[in-house]
């Protein structure tokens, strides 16, 4: 970035405010210094000019798996080639050089192989593999080492898979790669920062789906910091924002801004695999692994001051076991004598299953006590609590093939009272969740289905067959949501399951709800399932582009307008809202002929579109305001949007909203405000005009341009 910044400022006589009329950068290349006149002549360029000179290859990231081999070795994730990791690009005498490189993978009929750039194919084996860029090993000038854990886990796609990597500096052990599923707001923030612009005003970058049906969109990779290389491992919600665990660290994501705030680090080693939020006490309980067999411990985080309690070991014995999803918060009758707050969990036994116990950790003292359920009744991977009634339900197995539901209540004195087994003859279920009406939704791995039954009845309702694995399940209100591979389903009451989303690739393992459904993907990415669309670039491949190119491409993909003002501020707004009305800040400048020293009307600055055609390279949609996938004659006005940044899931939505805006003729008004200084107004402020002269217009619309003049006047351009 250039070192010399130039600003032109002005001050009206008698006023205190200093106004920035222009800001940009000095280009000293070719500058002319005149000895006799003692002056210098040089070029100055704007931030737009600067952006066109900066390579977009600088906008890269690293998705790193912190333990690819069980020994804590970092490996660069190759998103297009699951389970193949880049381990080393800094091999002595064969260092990978700056620029864009490719790793290509081929299943090759089961003889899995890979190559670097246009180098020779190398048959892969478990462990380390070296790829070179030469047709033979002797011709290699650059090499990389890739790692394979289990060979059979590599893809079996019939077509070749290619992953691009970027080397910014030679000698870096792990290269970088393009962003995937990056929010347009974050991408634009990174792009403007390359130009030195950090003061950015964003509109609400969101719109409704055209048909009001949900779409799956990835939001970001928590915590949105390239310096953090661990993958997100747990998710919870306070109803408005999200808590995310990344390794042993905890963050909070503001869902309005997308900004992550750092909260705390677990004092103990071990990846946090579950977060549990309690609103009344403002507590966040964490469950994490602590040794072999994925054993478990818990702590409580006080969100008022982000301090942890001491650790509670759920598995003190060598054969003790706990399960991450058989632990729930109990918070009952906190104003009464039977008040109970803490965690209820099941502790099983690896050798003697009949010695499994149901236990309670007091939320204040952290005392861990046995709830003393009937001997011989085995708790089996399910605990659920009705905090309104204080009823605690758990899965039983006695005998081994007969599954049931056991129940505890809480006495007036605050003691646990065992009711006993209230129903049996149930199938085995692996993952389950219960509504406040005590309806249990569960995954039955024996029969490959998701079903439900009232807590005290063995009569079940099947909701979806053909389900071989449920990775996540949750309740919101009276509805159940579950993930099967890359598919997201919703169940309303006793109705059949409805598929509401397709993540495009397997690996959804955590779900949470704010004002919409969110989930974590196994590669650490956060996504949403909602009829409110956010703007996300699925694959930000930027090779051969400038920063200016990418800014323009991002804005055009999502029907945005971006303006850089003379005061070194960027403004990014939607062209229109859901109805196509241009967006403004709400601050209004009222202009009549009395304030305008000059007025020019540019007729049909945006002519009315007869058809919108949107394509992202793989999918094309047309829309004429009524019908999709129609066409018009060649004399009609067609607005073309050709942009691979648009996700497949929202191509139709972009076509719909493009028509809402471009389907109406709009004029541009160039107004000189020579009669009164109005320098407080900025781009995207609203301008309400009343013109009653030869040009007649009464309307409101956004200010798209402001220009301060040396004589103290200001020129604006308004779209109406």
């Amino acid at each position: 970035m250039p070192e010399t910044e130039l600003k032109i400022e002005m001050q009206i006589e008698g006023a205190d405010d200093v106004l920035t009329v222009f800001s940009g950068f000095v280009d000293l290349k070719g500058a002319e210094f005149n000895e006799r006149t003692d002056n210098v002549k040089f070029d100055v360029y704007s931030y737009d000019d600067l952006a066109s000179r900066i390579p977009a290859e600088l906008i890269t990231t690293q998705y790193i798996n912190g333990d690819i081999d069980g020994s804590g070795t970092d490996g660069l994730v190759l998103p297009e080639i699951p389970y193949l990791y880049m381990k080393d690009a800094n091999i002595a005498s064969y260092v990978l050089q700056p620029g864009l490189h490719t790793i290509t993978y081929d299943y090759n009929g089961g003889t899995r192989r890979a190559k670097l750039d246009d180098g020779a194919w190398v048959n892969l084996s478990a462990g380390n593999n070296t790829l070179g860029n030469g047709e033979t090993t002797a011709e290699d000038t650059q090499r990389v080492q890739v790692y394979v854990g289990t060979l059979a886990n590599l893809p079996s796609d019939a077509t070749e898979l290619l992953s691009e990597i970027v080397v910014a500096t030679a000698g870096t052990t792990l290269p970088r790669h393009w962003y995937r599923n990056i929010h347009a707001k974050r991408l634009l923030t990174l792009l403007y920062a390359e130009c030195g612009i950090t003061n950015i005003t964003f509109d609400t970058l969101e719109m409704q789906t055209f048909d009001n049906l949900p779409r799956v969109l990835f939001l970001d990779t928590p915590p949105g910091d390239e310096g953090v290389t661990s993958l997100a491992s747990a998710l919870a919600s306070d109803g408005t924002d999200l808590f995310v665990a990344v390794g042993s660290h905890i963050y909070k994501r503001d869902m309005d801004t997308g900004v992550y705030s750092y909260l705390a680090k677990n004092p103990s080693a071990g990846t946090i695999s579950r977060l549990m939020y309690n609103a009344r006490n403002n507590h966040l309980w964490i469950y994490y692994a602590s040794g072999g067999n994925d054993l478990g411990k818990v702590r409580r985080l006080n969100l008022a001051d982000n301090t942890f309690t001491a650790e509670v070991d759920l598995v003190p014995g060598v054969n003790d076991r706990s399960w991450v999803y058989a632990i729930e918060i109990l918070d009952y009758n906190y104003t009464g004598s039977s008040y109970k707050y803490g965690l209820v969990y099941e502790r099983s036994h690896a050798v003697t299953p009949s010695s499994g116990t149901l236990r309670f950790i007091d939320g204040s003292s952290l005392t861990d006590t046995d709830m003393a359920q009937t001997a011989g009744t085995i708790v089996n991977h399910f605990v659920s609590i009705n905090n309104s009634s204080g009823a605690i339900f758990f899965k039983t197995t006695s005998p081994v093939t007969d599954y049931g539901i056991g129940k505890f209540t809480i006495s007036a004195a605050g003691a646990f009272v065992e009711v006993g087994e209230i129903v049996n003859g149930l199938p085995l279920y692996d993952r389950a969740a219960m509504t406040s009406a005590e309806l249990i939704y569960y995954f039955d791995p024996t029969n490959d289905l998701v079903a439900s039954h009232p807590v005290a009845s063995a009569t079940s309702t099947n909701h979806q067959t053909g389900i071989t694995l449920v990775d996540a399940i949750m309740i919101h209100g009276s509805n159940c949501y579950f993930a099967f591979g890359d598919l997201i389903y919703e169940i309303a009451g006793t109705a059949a399951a409805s598929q509401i989303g397709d993540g495009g690739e397997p690996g959804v393992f955590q779900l949470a709800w704010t004002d919409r459904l969110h989930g974590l993907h196994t590669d650490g990415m956060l996504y949403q399932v909602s009829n409110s669309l956010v703007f996300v670039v699925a694959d930000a491949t930027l090779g051969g582009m400038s920063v200016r190119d990418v800014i323009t491409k991002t804005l055009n993909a999502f029907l945005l307008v971006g303006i850089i003002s003379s005061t070194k501020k960027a403004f990014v707004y939607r062209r229109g809202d859901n109805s196509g009305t241009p967006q403004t800040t709400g601050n209004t400048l009222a202009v009549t002929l009395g304030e305008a020293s000059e007025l020019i009307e540019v007729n049909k600055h945006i002519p009315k579109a007869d058809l919108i055609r949107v394509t992202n390279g793989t999918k094309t949609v047309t829309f004429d305001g009524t019908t999709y996938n129609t066409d018009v004659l060649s004399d009609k006005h067609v607005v073309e949007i050709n942009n691979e940044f648009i996700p497949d899931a929202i191509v139709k939505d972009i076509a719909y909203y493009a028509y809402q805006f471009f389907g109406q003729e709009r004029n541009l008004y160039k107004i000189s405000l020579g009669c009164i200084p109005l320098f407080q107004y900025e781009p995207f402020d609203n301008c309400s005009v009343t013109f009653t002269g030869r040009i007649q217009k009464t309307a409101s619309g956004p200010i798209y341009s402001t220009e301060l003049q040396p004589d103290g006047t200001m020129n604006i351009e308004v779209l109406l």
Side-chain angles (χ1 to χ4, degrees):
M1 182 174 158
E3 298 179 356
T4 306
E5 186 174 4
L6 181 143
K7 290 198 298 184
I8 299 175
E9 297 178 335
M10 64 178 288
Q11 186 174 22
I12 298 176
E13 187 173 344
D16 295 328
D17 293 337
V18 177
L19 306 172
T20 301
V21 180
F22 173 85
S23 57
F25 290 91
V26 173
D27 188 356
L28 293 178
K29 181 181 179 181
E32 297 179 4
F33 297 87
N34 191 306
E35 174 68 23
R36 182 181 65 81
T37 60
D38 190 24
N39 62 27
V40 59
K41 179 181 178 182
F42 52 83
D43 292 330
V44 176
Y45 48 93
S46 68
Y47 293 101
D48 272 342
D49 296 328
L50 174 63
S52 67
R53 300 181 178 205
I54 301 174
E57 284 88 351
L58 296 173
I59 310 299
T60 55
T61 188
Q62 289 179 314
Y63 302 122
I64 295 178
N65 183 328
D67 187 8
I68 60 174
D69 55 6
S71 300
T73 303
D74 286 347
L76 185 76
V77 175
L78 301 176
E80 296 78 11
I81 314 173
Y83 302 106
L84 181 66
Y85 300 97
M86 173 72 70
K87 185 176 179 180
D88 190 1
N90 187 28
I91 298 175
S93 302
Y94 298 94
V95 174
L96 199 61
Q97 296 302 304
L100 181 65
H101 299 272
T102 59
I103 301 295
T104 307
Y105 167 82
D106 181 23
Y107 178 63
N108 193 32
T111 307
R112 297 166 171 85
R113 60 183 186 174
K115 66 177 180 178
L116 169 67
D117 295 333
D118 293 322
W121 288 102
V122 174
N123 291 337
L124 298 171
S125 59
N128 296 325
N129 299 263
T130 299
L131 312 180
N133 67 338
E135 293 185 5
T136 64
T137 302
E139 297 176 286
D140 287 348
T141 59
Q142 302 176 64
R143 290 177 181 169
V144 298
Q145 190 176 81
V146 296
Y147 181 83
V148 178
T150 302
L151 194 64
N153 286 342
L154 290 173
S156 56
D157 299 58
T159 56
E160 293 180 1
L161 303 177
L162 183 143
S163 188
E164 292 185 338
I165 54 176
V166 180
V167 177
T169 305
T172 304
T173 300
L174 295 180
R176 304 177 69 80
H177 42 42
W178 308 118
Y179 279 94
R180 296 177 70 239
N181 300 303
I182 179 172
H183 196 292
K185 182 176 181 180
R186 172 147 177 77
L187 179 57
L188 288 167
T189 299
L190 294 171
L191 292 163
Y192 283 122
E194 288 294 328
C195 308
I197 297 173
T198 56
N199 189 337
I200 310 171
T201 299
F202 286 99
D203 175 30
T204 302
L205 303 189
E206 195 166 294
M207 67 173 76
Q208 291 295 111
T209 56
F210 80 92
D211 53 6
N212 207 37
L213 296 177
R215 312 273 191 273
V216 175
L217 290 175
F218 285 88
L219 299 181
D220 56 34
T221 302
D225 181 352
E226 283 70 59
V228 178
T229 59
S230 298
L231 299 180
S233 54
L235 188 67
S237 169
D238 64 3
T240 302
D241 299 316
L242 289 175
F243 299 100
V244 184
V246 182
S248 58
H249 300 266
I250 301 173
Y251 299 83
K252 186 175 184 178
R253 187 186 197 271
D254 186 304
M255 299 310 295
D256 286 333
T257 65
V259 173
Y260 288 86
S261 301
Y262 184 75
L263 299 183
K265 180 181 184 295
N266 181 13
S268 301
T271 297
I272 298 170
S273 54
R274 189 167 177 207
L275 298 172
M276 295 164 282
Y277 175 71
N278 177 256
R280 187 180 63 78
N281 292 294
N282 200 26
H283 289 165
L284 191 67
W285 292 82
I286 69 170
Y287 178 100
Y288 53 98
S290 60
N293 300 311
D294 197 29
L295 309 180
K297 297 182 180 181
V298 296
R299 288 182 188 269
R300 192 193 69 219
L301 177 66
N302 185 348
L303 294 170
D305 57 10
N306 292 326
T307 57
F308 277 106
T309 63
E311 180 178 80
V312 180
D313 190 353
L314 307 187
V315 285
V318 67
N319 289 312
D320 289 335
R321 299 289 183 268
S322 67
W323 195 54
V324 62
Y325 296 111
I327 179 170
E328 296 292 339
I329 294 176
L330 171 64
D331 189 5
Y332 171 66
N333 196 26
Y334 69 91
T335 60
S337 59
S338 58
Y339 166 59
K340 283 285 188 183
Y341 172 63
L343 296 179
V344 176
Y345 75 99
E346 60 108 341
R347 180 188 293 171
S348 59
H349 196 277
V351 177
T352 312
S354 61
S355 64
T357 59
L358 195 67
R359 306 185 66 85
F360 175 67
I361 299 172
D362 186 274
S364 298
S365 67
L366 301 183
T367 303
D368 185 359
T369 57
D370 188 344
M371 292 172 61
Q373 86 274 13
T374 304
T377 300
I378 304 167
V379 180
N380 189 61
H381 285 190
F382 171 75
V383 172
S384 193
I385 299 172
N386 186 332
N387 278 307
S388 296
S389 65
I392 301 164
F393 303 99
F394 57 97
K395 196 74 180 291
T396 60
T397 308
S398 181
V400 175
T401 56
D402 182 14
Y403 300 96
I405 295 291
K407 180 179 179 180
F408 272 83
T409 58
I410 300 172
S411 72
F416 290 116
V417 177
E418 185 176 19
V419 177
E421 191 174 67
I422 59 175
V423 65
N424 56 29
L426 297 173
L428 168 70
Y429 42 80
D430 178 59
R431 297 292 302 273
M434 187 182 76
T435 69
S436 59
E438 298 183 355
L439 181 66
I440 297 175
Y441 292 92
Y442 62 92
F443 164 56
D444 178 352
T446 304
N447 297 297
D448 292 345
L449 56 82
V450 171
S452 67
H453 69 86
V455 71
S457 170
T459 302
S460 63
T461 300
N462 294 344
H463 299 285
Q464 184 68 39
T465 59
I467 303 295
T468 57
L469 178 67
V470 167
D471 302 289
I473 189 169
M474 69 162 291
I475 301 296
H476 175 68
S478 59
N479 289 359
C480 173
Y481 299 87
F482 69 92
F484 166 46
D486 61 339
L487 304 179
I488 314 298
Y489 290 87
E490 177 184 48
I491 306 172
T494 57
S498 172
Q499 183 183 324
I500 60 170
D502 183 344
E505 51 187 295
V508 178
F509 74 101
Q510 297 254 340
L511 295 172
W513 190 283
T514 55
D515 64 337
R516 64 197 65 174
L517 184 63
H518 295 277
L520 276 183
H521 197 270
T522 50
D523 60 8
M525 291 188 294
L526 177 70
Y527 70 88
Q528 71 163 35
V529 184
S530 175
N531 60 0
S532 293
L533 296 177
V534 293
F535 304 138
V536 176
V537 177
D539 182 3
T541 297
L542 311 180
M545 302 173 69
S546 70
V547 166
R548 175 70 262 174
D549 293 335
V550 183
I551 291 175
T552 301
K553 187 171 184 176
T554 305
L555 296 174
N556 291 343
F558 303 108
L559 307 177
L560 307 176
V561 180
I563 295 172
I564 301 174
S565 74
S566 61
T567 57
K568 198 179 175 181
K569 295 180 182 178
F571 300 84
V572 179
Y573 276 68
R574 292 169 292 166
R575 283 194 179 275
D577 61 13
N578 292 345
S579 65
T581 303
Q583 294 294 91
T584 70
T585 64
N587 301 321
T588 299
L589 165 63
V591 178
T592 68
L593 287 178
E595 290 81 36
S597 57
E598 185 173 26
L599 172 62
I600 298 173
E601 180 185 61
V602 181
N603 192 41
K604 297 183 181 180
H605 178 70
I606 298 178
K608 180 183 182 303
D610 297 297
L611 185 76
I612 304 294
R613 180 176 290 113
V614 180
T615 180
N616 65 355
T618 59
K619 187 175 183 179
T620 299
V621 169
T622 62
F623 185 61
D624 66 359
T626 303
T627 306
Y628 280 100
N629 298 322
T630 185
D631 215 331
V632 293
L633 298 178
S634 60
D635 63 332
K636 301 299 184 181
H637 178 52
V638 179
V639 173
E640 303 264 5
I641 302 174
N642 190 339
N643 197 312
E644 60 267 28
F645 278 6
I646 303 172
D648 284 352
I650 68 169
V651 172
K652 257 190 169 182
D653 302 286
I654 294 295
Y656 176 85
Y657 287 110
Y659 188 86
Q660 306 313 304
F661 181 83
F662 291 107
Q664 179 178 339
E665 179 183 296
R666 302 180 192 276
N667 297 340
L668 185 70
Y669 292 82
K670 300 180 179 181
I671 308 168
S672 294
L673 302 171
C675 302
I676 182 172
L678 296 166
F679 303 141
Q680 69 270 34
Y681 292 98
E682 296 183 300
F684 292 105
D685 283 343
N686 183 53
C687 185
S688 176
V689 306
T690 305
F691 298 143
T692 57
R694 294 182 182 88
I695 298 174
Q696 296 196 5
K697 188 71 174 180
T698 301
S700 296
I703 298 172
Y704 273 177
S705 172
T706 61
E707 185 180 7
L708 305 182
Q709 300 299 307
D711 61 1
T713 63
M714 181 170 75
N715 297 336
I716 64 173
E717 293 185 352
V718 183
L719 188 70
L720 300 172

